Amino acid sequence: MARAGTFDNIRVYWLAFIAYWGIVLFGYDTGIAGGVVSQTNFQKHFGMWPNGIQNTAQVTAVSSNVVSVLQAGAFFGALGSAPISSKMGRKWTLVGFTFIFSIGAILTTVASSPTNGLALIYAGRVISGVGIGGISAVSPSFVSECSPKEVRGRITGLFQIMVAIGVMLSYFINFGVSINIVDGPRIWRIPFGFQLVPAGIMLFGLLTVKESPRWLASVDRHDEALANLAYLRRRSTDNLEVLHELAEIEAAIEEEREIRKDLGWKEAFFGKGNFIRFVIAFVIFLLQQWSGQNSVSYYAPQIFASIGFTGNKNSLLASGVVATSLFIFFGVEWIGRRWSLFISAMGMGIMFFIIGALIKTHPPPAASANTVVATIPPASRAMAAMLYIYVVFYSMGWGPLPWGDYVSDIFNTRTRHYGLAVASASQWLWNFVVSHQTLLIEQELRFKFFFMFAAVNIGGMGVFSLLIPETKGRSLEEMDIIFGSISSEKRAADVAKFEHAFEHREDGSTQSQDEKV
């Protein structure tokens, strides 16, 4: 009978903890730039206050550029990660991209000259973006390949929690700098320099973890694959569960090789049962980026100011972290992926319809984030409540699941690096589009802005959730069966063949030892 110790998966949790420090960087870099550029002394130092008057257009352009160049670098870093990960393995690819990110972080930190400092910051952000893009593509794959199916959703779902922690750290550091440092290069050196802390933890932490057994098996390093799998499961190399899992992995890889022999890169997109997986990976992030989460950040100051609150972004973000944590640890393996995504989409859509209707019928009173409204309108209370509930619905489905739990699940070992690269590139592409168009769309549509996102949530994301297959409780090797690449009968026969081969290998090893004795 299988051992069911509490800490059986502790090594997998450690691996996820280390690999996902790169995802803290993902969130941190997403949130840090706007706060740095908004600092008055940063603007003055880099020439955005000619003749003592703020050049608003230049400030807006610089803020947009600092964000855009990171996204551009990330897009290409994500695409470039696929062949590198396939050749070098997951662990050393992450080491390489973390090192690249660190170079970019150093460049942004040391920038100081008023004449070429911005150019150095742009260059550093591009290089950091390449690192972030590669990390965001490879980390989920690495963690998913090492996680047992029983708790894979819980472990890989840590992705969104780490993103939120990274964003929250950026807000707190920007806030601390703004109230404690009035001028000098520390205004941007501290926020940009802090990037090196999680990067350093990840870089050195990766030296303590093992390579993915699935990748090792895919490059015919079978003994290492067995040793690493046994290490991660905290079992011996002759444990039947470990041998069965490795047999399943080797059978899937052998099937892929036979079916797609000599197809090269085309197997990733046109191999049997593969194309639909890439469609899902691309579309799921298109929908996630158009789910309207950016509008929450945009409208939060106005709505919360109308009811006398400040610090609203952090309170919303904290709510998201708590909700995501509860869902990942207690809900994802119970509800499943499909229904979590469906419930999340419907809940977000309903909240947006209500908010849009309230803004139309009961516009919030004009107020700044630093004023307190004496009389709090009931409609404003309702809008604030809807925003918090929206964050909860987002955090129980479309926030954590696309990255950590679904896309990293559905690809087989030989194509997973391509799948995660396409998914990550899609995320960065649509993140770029949405971040540049949100304000323009809001100005044109006003309250209908929320109705548009509500329609996307319910009509797009809700329907999409019902069309994709469930992956809860299924091994990564079973995804080929789910998507029609192989029949369950053929898979069972191939697994039995490899288990039989392992038994003969063990018998041969035992016989050799007996002869020596």
Side-chain angles (χ1 to χ4, degrees):
M1 196 167 182
R3 185 164 58 99
T6 305
F7 299 104
D8 278 1
N9 296 312
I10 191 67
R11 289 169 178 164
V12 182
Y13 277 107
W14 173 253
L15 183 146
F17 174 74
I18 293 300
Y20 281 167
W21 271 103
I23 309 309
V24 172
L25 289 171
F26 180 148
Y28 185 83
D29 262 40
T30 301
I32 200 66
V36 170
V37 178
S38 68
Q39 297 285 341
T40 301
N41 282 283
F42 176 88
Q43 298 170 9
K44 290 180 177 178
H45 184 86
F46 290 108
M48 288 172 258
W49 282 64
N51 302 317
I53 301 173
Q54 184 189 51
N55 186 331
T56 306
Q58 187 180 4
V59 171
T60 302
V62 170
S63 182
S64 176
N65 290 341
V66 169
V67 173
S68 300
V69 294
L70 179 84
Q71 293 167 335
F75 176 81
F76 291 105
L79 291 179
S81 69
I84 298 172
S85 176
S86 174
K87 183 73 174 175
M88 294 180 58
R90 315 316 189 207
K91 173 181 172 178
W92 291 108
T93 299
L94 284 176
V95 169
F97 276 111
T98 305
F99 183 74
I100 290 171
F101 172 87
S102 300
I103 293 173
I106 292 170
L107 290 179
T108 56
T109 303
V110 301
S112 63
S113 171
T115 55
N116 62 13
L118 278 179
L120 204 57
I121 289 174
Y122 291 155
R125 293 284 285 178
V126 170
I127 295 170
S128 291
V130 172
I132 285 290
I135 290 169
S136 67
V138 178
S139 283
S141 174
F142 188 26
V143 174
S144 181
E145 289 182 351
C146 294
S147 301
K149 63 183 179 181
E150 294 82 9
V151 294
R152 192 174 64 246
R154 188 177 302 145
I155 293 174
T156 56
L158 292 169
F159 186 104
Q160 186 64 22
I161 296 174
M162 301 299 261
V163 171
I165 290 172
V167 176
M168 193 154 54
L169 280 173
S170 74
Y171 288 162
F172 286 142
I173 288 176
N174 272 333
F175 177 72
V177 168
S178 68
I179 63 174
N180 291 296
I181 301 174
V182 294
D183 58 13
R186 289 186 301 164
I187 286 174
W188 63 89
R189 283 183 172 170
I190 290 175
F192 285 145
F194 185 80
Q195 298 172 105
L196 293 169
V197 175
I201 293 173
M202 182 175 177
L203 194 58
F204 291 106
L206 283 169
L207 302 179
T208 70
V209 302
K210 300 286 188 181
E211 180 58 86
S212 162
R214 286 176 167 84
W215 178 80
L216 289 169
S218 73
V219 293
D220 297 324
R221 292 161 62 177
H222 304 291
D223 291 339
E224 290 178 75
L226 176 60
N228 284 12
L229 186 63
Y231 173 83
L232 290 168
R233 301 294 179 263
R234 299 184 70 214
R235 304 287 199 273
S236 64
T237 54
D238 59 357
N239 179 270
L240 292 179
E241 290 180 358
V242 171
L243 292 174
H244 177 79
E245 186 174 355
L246 186 61
E248 201 174 25
I249 293 169
E250 302 238 13
I253 292 170
E254 185 64 27
E255 290 161 1
E256 293 166 35
R257 286 173 176 164
E258 288 299 320
I259 294 171
R260 296 152 193 166
K261 189 178 293 182
D262 300 324
L263 281 179
W265 65 269
K266 291 183 180 179
E267 74 169 84
F269 297 94
F270 301 111
K272 185 178 180 182
N274 274 5
F275 184 71
I276 186 61
R277 303 190 222 195
F278 281 90
V279 172
I280 290 173
F282 184 85
V283 172
I284 200 169
F285 283 105
L286 185 158
L287 292 172
Q288 187 203 49
Q289 290 303 305
W290 284 99
S291 66
Q293 79 272 23
N294 290 330
S295 69
V296 171
S297 296
Y298 179 80
Y299 264 94
Q302 180 188 8
I303 294 174
F304 278 88
S306 72
I307 59 174
F309 286 110
T310 58
N312 43 73
K313 284 189 178 181
N314 281 336
S315 64
L316 276 177
L317 193 58
S319 300
V321 172
V322 172
T324 302
S325 301
L326 291 173
F327 171 69
I328 291 302
F329 286 105
F330 301 107
V332 64
E333 295 295 351
W334 175 55
I335 302 173
R337 279 58 153 172
R338 280 180 70 211
W339 285 108
S340 295
L341 290 170
F342 178 74
I343 294 168
S344 174
M346 296 301 290
M348 289 190 295
I350 291 169
M351 294 305 106
F352 273 148
F353 270 128
I354 294 172
I355 293 172
L358 287 173
I359 289 176
K360 168 63 175 173
T361 57
H362 300 80
S368 72
N370 296 319
T371 60
V372 177
V373 178
T375 303
I376 303 174
S380 294
R381 292 180 183 271
M383 281 186 273
M386 295 306 106
L387 280 176
Y388 276 102
I389 297 172
Y390 163 85
V391 169
V392 171
F393 276 116
Y394 178 75
S395 300
M396 67 170 290
W398 280 89
L401 292 185
W403 267 120
D405 286 280
Y406 202 83
V407 173
S408 58
D409 282 359
I410 62 177
F411 291 96
N412 52 46
T413 301
R414 293 185 71 203
T415 59
R416 188 169 293 111
H417 42 274
Y418 292 105
L420 270 294
V422 168
S424 183
S426 174
Q427 189 271 338
W428 288 108
L429 171 66
W430 294 112
N431 183 283
F432 173 82
V433 172
V434 171
S435 66
H436 276 70
Q437 297 301 315
T438 293
L439 184 57
L440 178 62
I441 294 172
E442 185 277 327
Q443 290 171 342
E444 292 293 325
L445 296 182
R446 299 191 181 278
F447 72 90
K448 289 180 282 189
F449 182 61
F450 284 101
F451 290 166
M452 178 193 75
F453 284 128
V456 172
N457 290 158
I458 295 174
M461 296 157 65
V463 172
F464 178 83
S465 302
L466 296 177
L467 295 177
I468 59 177
E470 178 60 72
T471 63
K472 180 186 78 167
R474 309 294 290 269
S475 71
L476 296 182
E477 285 63 45
E478 288 179 281
M479 299 304 155
D480 282 340
I481 300 172
I482 292 173
F483 286 96
S485 297
I486 199 78
S487 68
S488 56
E489 293 78 11
K490 177 73 165 61
R491 172 57 55 79
D494 289 337
V495 171
K497 180 182 74 174
F498 276 94
E499 286 185 320
H500 185 66
F502 286 141
E503 289 173 5
H504 276 283
R505 190 187 303 173
E506 289 294 321
D507 290 343
S509 174
T510 303
Q511 186 175 355
S512 261
Q513 290 177 4
D514 289 343
E515 287 172 356
K516 287 180 182 178
V517 173

